[in-house]
Amino acid sequence: MKDTITRTLAGYRQTFAAFAPGQKVIAIIGTAALLLGGFMVFRWASTPSYSPLFSNLSASDASAVVQELDATGVPYELADGGNTVMVPKDAVYQARIDLAGEGLPSDSGDAGGYSLLDGQSLMTSDRQEAITIKRAIEGELETTIEQIDGVDTAVVHLAVPEKVPFTDAQDPTTASVLVAPQAGTTLTASQVQAIVHLVASGVDGLDPANVTVADSAGQVLSNDDGSGSDATSRDQEVEAVRNDLQHRLQAMLDRVVGVGNSTVEVTPVLDFAKSVTETTRYTPDDENPVVSSSEASETYTGPDAGAASGAGGVVGPDGQMDSGSTTTVGDNSYVKKQTTADRAVGSEVVRSETAPGGIKTLSVGVVLDSATTKAISTADIRNLVADTIGIDEKRGDTMSVVTMPFDRTAEAAAAKEIEAAKAADATGARNDLIRKAGLGGVLLLILLLAMLKGRRRAKQREQATTYVVEQLRQETAARQSIEGPGSTLALEQAERSQEDGVRDELNALIERQPEDVAALLRGWLTERS
């Protein structure tokens, strides 16, 4: 076994010594890369897989957990800025049990929220209880907001005024939220709106308009109407409306006057004010039902007309004459009837709310190329544009349609550049094809030369081996004739063994030093001749 290893190492050493300098460098680099790759694979396979042990730890709890893990010798890693402790996957449960026996973690997740109410006693005053409840709500809201993607930490402050009895005018509840986004992230308008409505929905009597959201840089993210939209979102909405109207008009004009023969610009002004209108309408009396009614009648019988004086009429209860409801008979008597009906007062309240973002005014400008649109009437284009996007002059919309020559120099230059680029691409593709074809031919030539050289080397090796073996046979035959016929069998076996060994050594020698072997054979052939 030892001799085999020694011969193998010696063969490797001789093979490496026969390499050219470039081949030696490649062999060394390849061996080093193979060893390094094996080491990295072994290290990756032997490294344990880590899983979270505890997350969202406070600074005190994280320090205590790390100290306990160091004391017990459990490997760990810190993640999420030190708030998460990672341990090997197979040691998670045992580590949790051991740490729970030590009372860890002690206060993670209990710094706020409704856990503050656990320590209430019978001696707690009403004011202290109200403050504790407010702190608990603030803590719960902070925990909820921190679950939103992109939010690192959040601080919530509530201003809850005391209820004043026997009055309708109460001070509103307000809230302020300070959020610190994660590094490299920015809160979107929808996320800000979600924070506003989360806080407003979690506090009784809180209007979303009274919630203010600001970031750690001091920028107010929420709007006064509680929509959570800022100036950037408004600009984006205006830009979206402008692009939509402009695209529709440009697509229509391209079909009418041709592509590139017109240009359109639309400037919308949006109304972001939110208005609420309430209208009360009272129904007529004849449409309302009768709630109560009463009837009264009065009959009077007096002297005849000849005995009466010239007074014409009846004195009413208030001293005035009431002739409209009196019927006089021939003997100066009358009959009075009165009917009273009370009807309910009917009313209808209509409440309409206008959402922000409606179009307030539009300004449209259309320019036509005079060189290609001479036969098209600008009045027709004006009417077409007005009907397409709904121009309303009473609203204050303006529109202008003019014709003037277009500057085509940029288009001509662009066309020339495109043609030049196409020509360059065609030339490059052709040169690339020629280069690839030439490279393929060179590779084929190298392969052909290598095949021819290999055949020549094989033929030389075969000739050299045959010549040496023939010499050995001649020497063996001469020795056999001298020693006699008694050793024929032994000589034949020795000859075959020696012939095989010499053939193998010659093949190895010819592989390592073909030029030296060829020179040696040429010298032998010269001496023989």
Side-chain angles (χ1 to χ4, degrees):
M1 182 66 180
K2 183 177 180 181
D3 296 339
T4 304
I5 296 175
T6 304
R7 285 196 301 270
T8 303
L9 294 177
Y12 287 157
R13 187 166 51 252
Q14 293 176 359
T15 303
F16 182 76
F19 284 169
Q23 293 176 337
K24 291 181 179 179
V25 172
I26 294 174
I28 294 173
I29 294 176
T31 303
L34 183 61
L35 294 175
L36 180 61
F39 173 73
M40 296 300 293
V41 171
F42 173 76
R43 184 176 180 182
W44 172 78
S46 60
T47 301
S49 177
Y50 282 82
S51 297
L53 179 64
F54 295 111
S55 301
N56 297 325
L57 291 172
S58 63
S60 59
D61 274 352
S63 177
V65 169
V66 168
Q67 290 179 2
E68 188 65 24
L69 292 177
D70 287 334
T72 56
V74 178
Y76 64 89
E77 291 181 355
L78 297 178
D80 195 16
N83 295 330
T84 302
V85 179
M86 313 274 291
V87 297
K89 196 171 184 179
D90 54 354
V92 171
Y93 301 107
Q94 186 62 39
R96 286 179 181 174
I97 293 173
D98 296 339
L99 292 173
E102 299 295 332
L104 295 175
S106 60
D107 59 355
S108 293
D110 296 333
Y114 291 120
S115 60
L116 295 174
L117 302 177
D118 296 338
Q120 295 290 322
S121 63
L122 296 176
M123 303 301 294
T124 303
S125 63
D126 294 340
R127 182 174 179 82
Q128 185 177 0
E129 183 179 2
I131 294 175
T132 305
I133 292 175
K134 185 175 74 71
R135 289 179 56 197
I137 296 175
E138 290 174 349
E140 292 295 329
L141 290 175
E142 291 171 1
T143 304
T144 303
I145 294 174
E146 289 174 355
Q147 303 304 316
I148 298 176
D149 293 339
V151 178
D152 188 12
T153 56
V155 179
V156 179
H157 294 290
L158 299 178
V160 182
E162 295 183 358
K163 299 297 182 180
V164 180
F166 309 112
T167 180
D168 294 335
Q170 299 284 346
D171 293 335
T173 303
T174 59
S176 62
V177 182
L178 178 65
V179 293
Q182 295 178 355
T185 61
T186 303
L187 296 180
T188 62
S190 60
Q191 288 177 319
V192 176
Q193 185 177 4
I195 294 174
V196 169
H197 288 282
L198 275 175
V199 175
S201 301
V203 180
D204 184 20
L206 180 58
D207 192 338
N210 295 329
V211 179
T212 302
V213 181
D215 60 3
S216 56
Q219 297 180 352
V220 179
L221 304 179
S222 61
N223 199 15
D224 294 337
D225 57 358
S227 61
S229 60
D230 52 4
T232 302
S233 62
R234 292 185 177 184
D235 294 340
Q236 292 175 354
E237 188 172 353
V238 172
E239 186 68 16
V241 173
R242 187 187 74 85
N243 292 337
D244 178 64
L245 296 177
Q246 189 168 317
H247 176 73
R248 288 164 53 191
L249 288 178
Q250 190 65 60
M252 180 193 65
L253 291 176
D254 289 343
R255 295 292 301 271
V256 175
V257 301
V259 179
N261 297 326
S262 65
T263 181
V264 180
E265 285 295 331
V266 179
T267 304
V269 178
L270 303 184
D271 186 7
F272 290 99
K274 182 179 180 181
S275 61
V276 179
T277 304
E278 289 188 0
T279 304
T280 303
R281 186 176 68 87
Y282 296 95
T283 58
D285 292 341
D286 55 355
E287 297 181 2
N288 298 323
V290 177
V291 178
S292 64
S293 62
S294 62
E295 293 183 358
S297 63
E298 183 180 354
T299 303
Y300 175 76
T301 303
D304 56 3
S309 61
V314 179
V315 180
D318 55 355
Q320 296 180 356
M321 300 296 291
D322 187 1
S323 60
S325 60
T326 303
T327 301
T328 304
V329 295
D331 54 356
N332 201 14
S333 300
Y334 69 90
V335 177
K336 181 180 180 182
K337 292 183 179 181
Q338 184 178 1
T339 302
T340 302
D342 296 330
R343 295 179 180 272
V345 179
S347 63
E348 180 182 1
V349 179
V350 179
R351 187 177 186 272
S352 61
E353 182 176 345
T354 303
I359 296 177
K360 191 174 182 180
T361 58
L362 285 177
S363 298
V364 183
V366 180
V367 182
L368 304 177
D369 188 8
S370 59
T372 56
T373 60
K374 295 180 179 179
I376 299 176
S377 174
T378 57
D380 295 338
I381 297 296
R382 182 183 181 88
N383 295 332
L384 187 60
V385 171
D387 294 338
T388 300
I389 62 174
I391 295 295
D392 188 0
E393 296 181 355
K394 296 180 180 179
R395 188 175 57 185
D397 298 348
T398 60
M399 182 176 58
S400 176
V401 180
V402 297
T403 60
M404 58 182 60
F406 280 14
D407 185 5
R408 304 286 185 176
T409 55
E411 295 181 4
K416 290 182 180 179
E417 291 180 0
I418 291 175
E419 293 295 333
K422 290 182 178 179
D425 291 341
T427 303
R430 185 171 57 254
N431 294 336
D432 184 64
L433 181 61
I434 294 174
R435 182 168 57 253
K436 290 180 179 179
L439 182 61
V442 171
L443 291 176
L444 290 176
L445 181 60
I446 292 174
L447 291 176
L448 181 61
L449 293 177
M451 292 175 61
L452 294 177
K453 188 174 181 180
R455 290 182 178 180
R456 185 169 63 251
R457 285 184 177 180
K459 186 175 182 181
Q460 290 177 356
R461 182 169 60 251
E462 184 179 357
Q463 291 177 354
T465 303
T466 303
Y467 176 77
V468 173
V469 171
E470 185 65 26
Q471 293 294 327
L472 291 175
R473 286 180 178 177
Q474 293 178 5
E475 292 178 3
T476 303
R479 231 178 5 254
Q480 182 179 359
S481 61
I482 295 174
E483 294 178 359
S487 59
T488 302
L489 181 59
L491 288 175
E492 288 180 356
Q493 293 178 353
E495 178 184 354
R496 282 196 293 271
S497 176
Q498 186 177 8
E499 179 180 348
D500 294 338
V502 171
R503 185 182 296 275
D504 294 338
E505 292 181 2
L506 285 177
N507 288 331
L509 180 63
I510 292 172
E511 288 290 342
R512 293 194 301 269
Q513 300 176 347
E515 301 297 336
D516 296 340
V517 173
L520 180 61
L521 290 177
R522 283 195 294 269
W524 285 357
L525 294 175
T526 301
E527 292 177 359
R528 183 180 180 182
S529 62

